[in-house]
Amino acid sequence: MDTGATHVPPFSPEEAQRIVGQLQQPAVFLNMTHGWPVLGWTAENLRERLEDRTIRFRLGRKEETNVPQFETQCAYVEASMGQFLSWLKDEAREDVGSFYDYPRSQFWAYADYKYIARMFAHQPDMFEDVKWDAFGFEGRNGKESTLWMGTEGANTPCHLDSYGCNLVLQVQGRKRWHMFPPEDTSKLYPSRIPYEESSVFSRVNILRPDLGRFPAFQHAGAHVVTLLPGQVLFVPRHWWHYVESLDAVTISVNSWIELDDDHVARVGEAVTRTVVCAVKSAQGDGECWLNPTEEGVTSHNDNMRYINLALRACAQQEKTKPTLRSNNPTKRDSDGRIRSDVRFGPCLLPVPRLPPPLQDGGDDDMGPDTIEESPVGTDDLLECLLHPDVVAMVTRLLLDKQRRTPITPR
């Protein structure tokens, strides 16, 4: 029997890129990553490659609450892969480093958002282990990717990414993705606090929602999938997602694919940064409102410069030919099912939508007897000023103003 047969992916690079450009909903690609060396990046393998180099881990409490556990509420430690694995295996007699103060029975750990280009700068040949050119993105590899490694229970708070669409390869263990379409934004109660550039967070704990505070969430329906090793998940632009690790160790690698509409989104993000920094700095709360991924508060002059740079980039982009078309707004049939020009099959699976989490007695109108009056705070004001719909309107006004009269920095 011939055991040397070459594996042929179900889609050519050109076909895969066309599908990514046309998909209206999350989908899972199967049998596209056969032979990718990155599939050998297990935790044990990474320990050998990284040796004694330290990684920053985010530590969250294993507790059931109806409040999201944002990154600002987590602890952080620097540790080697060897120390991480010893802690994971409860090897008390081994060196667990900074994990010593965090019992594994009470905490989960997540090394999230690790740029592979920085993590393996000492081994640049590893970039070639990630082969996004199989999806039609020539030259894209690990250098344009990030790595995520967590323990059971580790999670990313529900949020949407302002830029691009997302391709996610599962390497080790299983992760469960809960995704909501852009039209569910108002039901997810968006917030820019904590502030992170390009991330809009939901105030809802989607696994244990407080429907008393967030009644509209009961009408949102999540698209849910458990991603297995070797599978690639496509997340369309502006889809909300909450991600949780299901196994003792999970590792995934992703890459954000740039889209034409990102130029417009960058104007909105520059506006958001300017407003958040101005209001929160004046409030005098220090920097506790900044996500740990942010390096610090930028000055008003710098923020205005970012706005003008983004506006000029937008104007320049309008003169050039688009490279990858942004996904169109989601189209649905009369029964609510998403319509798509893409033909699904055994190697391209749509992520199913679950029914909304309706509960007995749930009602958007809670009635005057159940409403508790409380003063409006700074974060309440920012939630209104920086609602995605408001930011989109301000962005359109600025772009219209620039088209009529070129804007000069002030």
Side-chain angles (χ1 to χ4, degrees):
M1 183 172 63
D2 182 10
T3 58
T6 302
H7 173 78
V8 179
F11 306 107
S12 69
E14 295 76 20
E15 290 171 330
Q17 187 178 49
R18 176 185 59 79
I19 290 170
V20 166
Q22 293 181 350
L23 276 168
Q24 299 287 316
Q25 69 179 92
V28 177
F29 288 86
L30 276 62
N31 300 326
M32 286 291 291
T33 61
H34 180 82
W36 287 26
V38 68
L39 292 175
W41 288 16
T42 63
E44 294 286 354
N45 176 270
L46 293 178
R47 175 171 63 175
E48 296 175 3
R49 291 173 180 262
L50 290 169
E51 298 178 332
D52 293 329
R53 289 178 174 82
T54 59
I55 304 171
R56 192 186 196 201
F57 290 85
R58 175 163 63 95
L59 294 160
R61 285 192 172 274
K62 296 179 178 180
E63 56 186 11
E64 293 190 0
T65 173
N66 57 15
V67 178
Q69 190 168 179
F70 291 119
E71 294 168 51
T72 50
Q73 300 161 336
C74 293
Y76 292 84
V77 301
E78 297 278 343
S80 68
M81 281 296 299
Q83 292 168 334
F84 166 66
L85 290 174
S86 293
W87 175 77
L88 184 65
K89 297 173 183 176
D90 268 339
E91 295 177 347
R93 289 174 292 182
E94 299 294 330
D95 174 24
V96 297
S98 300
F99 283 110
Y100 181 81
D101 295 324
Y102 301 93
R104 193 175 68 84
S105 60
Q106 299 177 29
F107 290 88
W108 48 256
Y110 207 4
D112 50 356
Y113 216 126
K114 304 303 178 189
Y115 288 102
I116 291 175
R118 298 176 188 170
M119 195 174 186
F120 298 108
H122 62 295
Q123 298 182 47
D125 56 307
M126 288 183 64
F127 301 161
E128 300 299 327
D129 290 2
V130 186
K131 300 184 177 296
W132 296 119
D133 52 358
F135 286 82
F137 301 103
E138 186 175 355
R140 183 177 291 264
N141 55 31
K143 193 174 182 180
E144 295 83 21
S145 306
T146 52
L147 183 140
W148 310 71
M149 177 174 59
T151 64
E152 183 179 1
N155 62 81
T156 303
C158 186
H159 69 285
L160 69 78
D161 299 314
S162 300
Y163 307 139
C165 57
N166 197 358
L167 287 173
V168 187
L169 167 66
Q170 192 62 27
V171 174
Q172 181 178 3
R174 299 168 300 150
K175 273 188 173 179
R176 182 168 293 141
W177 286 71
H178 305 249
M179 293 166 284
F180 301 83
E183 56 262 34
D184 275 355
T185 291
S186 63
K187 303 167 188 173
L188 288 158
Y189 298 84
S191 175
R192 295 311 299 259
I193 303 297
Y195 173 74
E196 179 182 75
E197 200 268 343
S198 79
S199 293
V200 184
F201 291 103
S202 169
R203 295 163 59 204
V204 183
N205 181 330
I206 66 161
L207 298 186
R208 289 172 289 276
D210 183 346
L211 296 180
R213 294 182 61 201
F214 309 115
F217 181 73
Q218 64 188 313
H219 302 299
H223 294 246
V224 180
V225 66
T226 298
L227 202 62
L228 307 179
Q231 297 179 346
V232 173
L233 172 67
F234 168 73
V235 183
R237 179 177 186 264
H238 286 181
W239 273 66
W240 294 84
H241 46 284
Y242 169 88
V243 191
E244 57 178 333
S245 296
L246 301 182
D247 291 323
V249 178
T250 68
I251 294 176
S252 53
V253 170
N254 85 297
S255 188
W256 283 280
I257 308 300
E258 301 82 4
L259 297 172
D260 297 325
D261 288 346
D262 288 350
H263 292 282
V264 175
R266 286 190 179 91
V267 177
E269 283 301 306
V271 169
T272 297
R273 177 184 285 272
T274 301
V275 174
V276 170
C277 289
V279 173
K280 296 299 284 187
S281 296
Q283 189 181 21
D285 282 348
E287 297 184 5
C288 60
W289 49 273
L290 275 177
N291 222 39
T293 53
E294 293 295 313
E295 295 182 355
V297 181
T298 44
S299 69
H300 181 70
N301 287 340
D302 281 343
N303 289 332
M304 291 306 301
R305 182 168 60 87
Y306 294 148
I307 289 178
N308 283 281
L309 287 172
L311 286 167
R312 285 197 288 273
C314 232
Q316 182 64 33
Q317 193 269 343
E318 288 180 351
K319 301 176 184 178
T320 62
K321 184 178 179 181
T323 52
L324 180 63
R325 180 176 62 83
S326 301
N327 301 86
N328 294 324
T330 308
K331 303 174 184 177
R332 294 185 180 273
D333 294 325
S334 58
D335 60 0
R337 290 183 300 178
I338 293 178
R339 286 192 286 115
S340 174
D341 296 329
V342 174
R343 181 174 297 179
F344 294 104
C347 293
L348 181 66
L349 308 177
V351 177
R353 180 177 185 266
L354 300 183
L358 286 170
Q359 296 188 4
D360 292 339
D363 195 339
D364 286 351
D365 184 3
M366 299 175 64
D369 294 335
T370 61
I371 297 177
E372 295 183 5
E373 292 188 5
S374 59
V376 172
T378 303
D379 289 355
D380 299 313
L381 174 64
L382 286 173
E383 283 169 12
C384 296
L385 287 176
L386 299 177
H387 188 283
D389 293 343
V390 177
V391 173
M393 181 180 67
V394 173
T395 299
R396 288 196 298 271
L397 291 172
L398 285 172
L399 290 171
D400 289 343
K401 183 177 179 64
Q402 188 198 46
R403 293 185 187 105
R404 293 193 302 269
T405 306
I407 297 175
T408 56
R410 293 181 182 177

